[in-house]
């Protein structure tokens, strides 16, 4: 079993909330003002975020939970990817925002043990 668990897919919002809810019938499950929303994507939420909350604006980013945020970021960088931000602690979790060797965005996270 992998030590990585996909927790969400993050897109830029613009007209996406209307598109995904009206066109595809995905239910809006959470909204934080005009800058973040989550839609029911079945097993994985579809998140829509503006520059305030989006890890790499304009890119699709896969949110991945792992106990080894620092090791994951280092492995990505060593394999030809890059680090956008981190690893760092925010209010609730250890995070790193990276891109893989093809430019795809990844946001690794692990809850802080407080």
């Amino acid at each position: 079993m992998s030590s990585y668990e996909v927790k969400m897919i993050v897109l830029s919002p613009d007209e996406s909330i209307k598109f995904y809810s009206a066109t595809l019938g995905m239910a809006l499950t959470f909204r934080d003002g005009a800058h973040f929303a989550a839609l029911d994507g079945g097993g994985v939420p579809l998140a829509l975020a503006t520059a305030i909350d989006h890890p790499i604006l304009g890119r699709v980013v896969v949110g991945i939970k792992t106990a080894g945020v620092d090791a994951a970021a280092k492995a990505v960088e060593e394999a030809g990817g890059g680090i956008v931000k981190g690893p760092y602690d925010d209010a609730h979790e250890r995070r790193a925002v990276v891109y893989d060797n093809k430019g795809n965005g990844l946001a690794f996270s692990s809850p802080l043990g407080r």
Side-chain angles (χ1 to χ4, degrees), residues 30-109:
F30 178 79
R31 182 136 195 184
D32 186 4
H35 60 91
F36 186 87
L39 297 157
D40 183 355
V44 177
L46 183 64
L48 307 169
T50 64
I52 294 170
D53 288 320
H54 201 293
I56 308 174
L57 193 61
R59 299 265 183 131
V60 173
V61 177
V62 178
I64 300 174
K65 182 179 176 182
T66 180
V69 170
D70 294 59
K74 182 178 178 182
V76 167
E77 188 172 41
E78 288 174 351
I83 296 177
V84 175
K85 184 176 181 186
Y88 65 98
D89 292 343
D90 72 4
H92 306 284
E93 59 192 7
R94 181 87 173 146
R95 299 189 70 188
V97 178
V98 304
Y99 55 88
D100 68 15
N101 62 339
K102 300 295 183 188
N104 300 301
L106 305 169
F108 294 113
S109 66

